């Protein structure tokens, strides 16, 4: 057989992804291992600050002592409400070493969302950025379990706040290791929240084993080494960003952090720090590919760009490579799987399939099952629901046994995504069985927006769908039935809803209708609304 890229792609997937060896240790100890191997490697670069692994270790130990002195114990939940910054990684590892549980929280949340997650997670503490502290203080009186608020970042806590500052707490405590805590790999490590299809977001139970082993899967499948330098603007509160934080810290790589994506600063940092691995979501690639200035920056140090959170159109990937010279590698995963389950091979163009989500990660199994029962495995090429099994799968949903039983069956995680697998094991995602809206890679639960709309006194009924959008993937559109006798306009309702939830959940369009299509049992027929919308757009 001729050794061409297409011929090499005929190799069996297991030749690319053999089983891994996973050291048995709680997540916090994995940082200690990296410190022993690469103590003077740069661990985190943020603005004018640079921290080595040795320095991160000392700060992590000191903050763990500080948290223990406040009374935070093994099993306690602690919310993290801040943008990307060194304190995020330090707090996450400090909580891991105490056996406490980190619950990442979106810094764009408004008061009602902050109150919901703190209360639902039964958090006893929140580590919050100074400029977000007033939002926490505004809802603090109604929270039953919250005892401690710790401020981080520049400036001082607002007048009237008794929140101690992160820097002061660290300065008062020793950098020696925490002792006296026995942590099992099956213990809970993190409680990120995932938008579901019904109701409010659900907490996802990720153990030390699930998240830690998935970090090692990511390191292996991406061929990360201690010489790599990550460009990370993807937020740590999102499971994608959290995986990058863990993967870099465990491998001895360097995290070059941005609080949020900004093209000029991002490209400047790529050049200045000789970034080797670039991580993005599709809207970032769309924007950079069309940006006239992109060709003036040097991307030659970058080995590849990994894109996830939503499918990237092949043409966007090709265009990004044309203007930067960087290969785009598409992956797939979900919060409930820690998150990585699939990635295209990073080492060879001939086996990197632009329209595929890639091959399963090490020690990850995949199946396509029928949509009706989920029990019948479908043959190669047939379309059905994607299910996966591996060490990275969650323990379940927080305080939601029925949802857990529906999502995990006989060890298999039912992803809610619809796809097919080809004869070589490559996964192709076609659609979502779930009704969740994917806006720029972020999940939005229609039910959450519908619940908000029902608070308006002139709304009798409402349904929300994801409307196709060339840049965002989908944008939320509402169909609203006004109450009889009430005068209501779409513009008024859009203005009323704006600012009541996080910015990415903003409604983009409202259509007033006479009735919402529903089943006999009252369930909204979103597929009917979606099909009508696609026909109007000429996409059907």
């Amino acid at each position: 057989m001729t050794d061409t890229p297409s011929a090499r792609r005929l190799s069996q997937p297991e030749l690319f992804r053999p089983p891994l060896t996973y050291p048995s240790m709680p997540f916090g100890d994995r940082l200690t291992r990296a410190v022993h191997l690469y103590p003077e490697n740069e661990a985190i670069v943020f603005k004018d600050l640079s921290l080595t692994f040795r320095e991160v270790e000392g700060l992590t130990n000191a903050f763990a002592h500080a948290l223990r002195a406040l009374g935070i114990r093994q099993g306690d939940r602690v919310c993290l409400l801040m943008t990307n910054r060194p304190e995020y990684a330090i707090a996450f590892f400090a909580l891991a070493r105490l056996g406490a549980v980190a619950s990442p929280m979106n810094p764009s949340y408004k008061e009602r969302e902050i109150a919901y997650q703190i209360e639902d997670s039964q958090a006893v503490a929140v580590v919050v950025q100074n400029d977000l502290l007033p939002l926490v203080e505004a809802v603090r009186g109604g929270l039953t379990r919250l005892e401690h608020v710790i401020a981080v970042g520049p400036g001082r806590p607002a007048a009237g706040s008794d929140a101690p500052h992160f820097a002061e707490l660290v300065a008062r405590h020793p950098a020696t290791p925490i002792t006296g805590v026995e942590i099992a790999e099956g213990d809970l490590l993190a409680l990120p929240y995932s938008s579901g299809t019904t109701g409010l977001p659900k907490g996802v139970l990720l153990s030390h084993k699930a998240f830690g082993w998935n970090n090692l899967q990511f390191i292996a499948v991406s061929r990360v080494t201690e010489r790599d330098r990550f460009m990370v603007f993807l937020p740590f509160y999102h499971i994608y960003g959290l995986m990058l934080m863990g993967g870099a810290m465990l491998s001895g790589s360097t995290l070059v952090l941005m609080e949020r994506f900004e093209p000029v600063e991002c490209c400047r940092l790529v050049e200045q720090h000789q970034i080797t691995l670039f991580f993005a979501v599709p809207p970032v690639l769309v924007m950079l590919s069309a940006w006239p200035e992109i060709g003036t920056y040097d991307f030659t140090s970058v080995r590849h760009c990994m894109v996830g959170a939503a499918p990237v159109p092949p043409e966007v990937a090709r265009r990004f490579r044309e203007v930067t010279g960087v290969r785009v590698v598409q992956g797939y995963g979900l919060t409930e799987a820690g998150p990585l389950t699939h990635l295209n091979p990073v080492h060879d163009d001939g086996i990197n399939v632009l329209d595929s989500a890639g091959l399963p990660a090490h020690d990850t199994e995949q199946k396509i099952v029928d949509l009706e029962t989920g029990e019948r495995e479908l043959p190669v090429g047939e379309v059905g629901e994607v299910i996966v099994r591996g060490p990275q799968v969650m323990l379940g949903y927080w305080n939601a046994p029925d949802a857990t039983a529906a999502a995990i069956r006989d060890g298999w995680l039912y992803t809610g995504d619809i796809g097919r697998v080809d004869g070589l094991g490559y996964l192709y995602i076609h659609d979502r069985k779930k009704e969740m809206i994917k806006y720029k890679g972020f999940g939005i639960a229609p039910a959450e927006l519908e619940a908000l709309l029902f608070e308006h006194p002139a709304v009798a009924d409402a349904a929300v769908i994801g409307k196709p959008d060339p840049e965002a993937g989908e944008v939320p559109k509402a169909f609203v039935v006004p109450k009889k006798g009430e005068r209501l306009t779409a513009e008024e309702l859009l203005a009323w809803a704006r600012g009541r939830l996080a910015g990415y959940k903003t409604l983009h369009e409202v259509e007033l209708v006479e009735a919402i299509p529903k089943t006999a049992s009252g369930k909204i027929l979103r597929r009917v609304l979606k099909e009508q919308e696609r026909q109007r757009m000429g996409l059907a």
Side-chain angles (χ1 to χ4, degrees):
M1 182 180 290
T2 304
D3 186 24
T4 63
S6 59
R8 289 199 299 275
R9 196 177 157 237
L10 295 177
S11 302
Q12 291 299 308
E14 55 264 28
L15 296 180
F16 298 112
R17 310 274 163 84
L20 296 178
T21 299
Y22 301 92
S24 182
M25 62 179 71
F27 186 77
D29 290 352
R30 296 182 188 276
L31 173 60
T32 301
R33 182 178 180 275
V35 172
H36 287 161
L37 292 172
Y38 319 110
E40 305 311 326
N41 274 21
E42 274 190 311
I44 301 174
V45 175
F46 178 67
K47 298 181 179 179
D48 295 328
L49 177 68
S50 171
L51 295 173
T52 66
F53 276 87
R54 189 194 301 276
E55 290 167 331
V56 169
E57 170 88 346
L59 291 167
T60 297
N61 288 337
F63 192 53
H65 282 290
L67 292 170
R68 175 183 274 181
L70 290 174
I72 294 170
R73 296 291 182 261
Q74 190 166 1
D76 285 343
R77 273 77 62 200
V78 176
C79 289
L80 303 180
L81 180 59
M82 59 186 118
T83 56
N84 288 3
R85 52 189 313 109
E87 295 96 330
Y88 206 120
I90 291 164
F92 191 90
F93 277 95
L95 290 167
R97 289 181 171 177
L98 281 176
V101 181
S103 187
M105 186 182 292
N106 189 333
S108 69
Y109 275 177
K110 304 301 182 184
E111 286 94 335
R112 62 189 289 146
E113 295 156 305
I114 289 171
Y116 168 74
Q117 187 167 330
I118 293 175
E119 189 71 1
D120 186 74
S121 66
Q122 301 175 7
V124 300
V126 58
V127 184
V128 55
Q129 199 160 295
N130 264 323
D131 56 350
L132 301 173
L133 183 56
L135 298 174
V136 175
E137 297 288 5
V139 300
R140 189 174 183 178
L143 302 174
T144 58
R145 293 175 180 259
L146 186 66
E147 299 176 13
H148 307 286
V149 177
I150 301 167
V152 303
R156 304 290 302 169
S161 172
D162 60 354
H165 195 274
F166 176 95
E168 294 172 350
L169 291 175
V170 167
R172 292 204 301 263
H173 290 85
T176 54
I178 283 284
T179 59
V181 182
E182 295 292 332
I183 302 170
E185 282 195 305
D187 289 348
L188 189 60
L189 169 72
L191 186 64
Y193 273 65
S194 175
S195 294
T197 60
T198 59
L200 293 165
K202 298 187 292 292
V204 174
L205 302 169
L206 294 179
S207 66
H208 285 252
K209 172 183 174 179
F211 187 69
W213 286 22
N214 193 236
N215 282 181
L216 298 179
Q217 291 170 315
F218 160 68
I219 290 168
V221 80
S222 302
R223 300 196 172 186
V224 177
T225 77
E226 74 279 4
R227 297 181 296 277
D228 279 315
R229 302 177 76 82
F230 290 22
M231 179 77 256
V232 179
F233 46 79
L234 298 170
F236 287 161
Y237 70 80
H238 191 282
I239 193 65
Y240 187 176
L242 200 65
M243 176 192 73
L244 300 180
M245 181 198 77
M249 300 298 285
L250 269 56
S251 64
S253 303
T254 302
L255 282 168
V256 178
L257 297 183
M258 295 180 68
E259 291 185 272
R260 61 191 59 83
F261 176 73
E262 193 285 316
V264 173
E265 180 65 5
C266 175
C267 294
R268 185 189 70 79
L269 291 172
V270 169
E271 278 193 352
Q272 178 184 346
H273 294 285
Q274 291 292 285
I275 296 299
T276 61
L277 296 174
F278 191 87
F279 302 93
V281 291
V284 168
L285 295 193
V286 170
M287 187 277 229
L288 287 176
S289 298
W291 186 40
E293 302 298 318
I294 190 68
T296 64
Y297 292 91
D298 181 8
F299 274 70
T300 55
S301 62
V302 181
R303 292 206 312 277
H304 66 259
C305 167
M306 175 181 168
V307 61
V312 61
E315 186 53 40
V316 171
R318 282 191 284 267
R319 174 61 181 157
F320 183 77
R321 182 160 189 178
E322 285 178 6
V323 297
T324 63
V326 176
R327 176 195 301 122
V328 176
V329 180
Q330 183 159 212
Y332 169 77
L334 58 165
T335 305
E336 289 86 343
L340 184 73
T341 63
H342 291 72
L343 186 68
N344 266 278
V346 302
H347 58 283
D348 192 325
D349 282 342
I351 54 177
N352 175 25
V353 186
L354 286 179
D355 59 345
S356 166
L359 295 167
H362 300 266
D363 306 300
T364 302
E365 300 172 77
Q366 65 180 358
K367 284 184 185 179
I368 305 296
V369 296
D370 70 287
L371 296 175
E372 291 74 23
T373 69
E375 297 174 358
R376 180 169 56 90
E377 183 175 1
L378 301 180
V380 167
E382 286 201 25
V383 174
E385 182 171 2
V386 181
I387 65 173
V388 295
R389 183 166 66 181
Q392 70 270 51
V393 169
M394 68 173 179
L395 298 173
Y397 292 112
W398 171 251
N399 288 337
D402 291 343
T404 298
I408 302 177
R409 306 178 217 168
D410 296 324
W412 289 90
L413 174 64
Y414 283 67
T415 68
D417 286 322
I418 298 171
R420 63 181 171 86
V421 172
D422 69 15
L424 303 171
Y426 284 77
L427 174 67
Y428 297 79
I429 300 296
H430 287 232
D431 204 347
R432 280 185 301 282
K433 182 180 178 183
K434 293 180 179 179
E435 296 170 339
M436 186 169 60
I437 300 164
K438 272 295 184 74
Y439 173 77
K440 295 186 176 181
F442 294 100
I444 304 171
E448 187 175 7
L449 295 180
E450 289 157 3
L452 174 65
L453 290 169
F454 276 111
E455 293 180 12
H456 193 285
V459 171
D461 201 359
V464 176
I465 65 167
K467 178 178 178 177
D469 182 86
E471 292 189 3
E474 291 180 321
V475 295
K477 175 178 177 176
F479 296 84
V480 173
V481 179
K483 287 182 179 177
K484 288 184 179 181
E486 295 282 354
R487 299 185 63 180
L488 181 67
T489 67
E491 293 74 18
E492 175 193 345
L493 199 53
L494 285 170
W496 174 86
R498 191 172 298 116
R500 293 175 184 264
L501 293 173
Y504 71 91
K505 299 178 186 176
T506 300
L507 281 170
H508 286 239
E509 188 177 344
V510 168
E511 181 178 339
L512 301 180
V513 296
E514 293 185 359
I516 303 294
K518 296 182 180 180
T519 65
S521 62
K523 184 177 181 181
I524 297 171
L525 290 169
R526 293 186 216 279
R527 58 178 175 78
V528 173
L529 294 172
K530 286 185 175 183
E531 185 60 29
Q532 291 174 353
E533 197 65 30
R534 290 180 66 84
Q535 288 176 355
R536 291 179 191 173
M537 299 174 69
L539 299 175

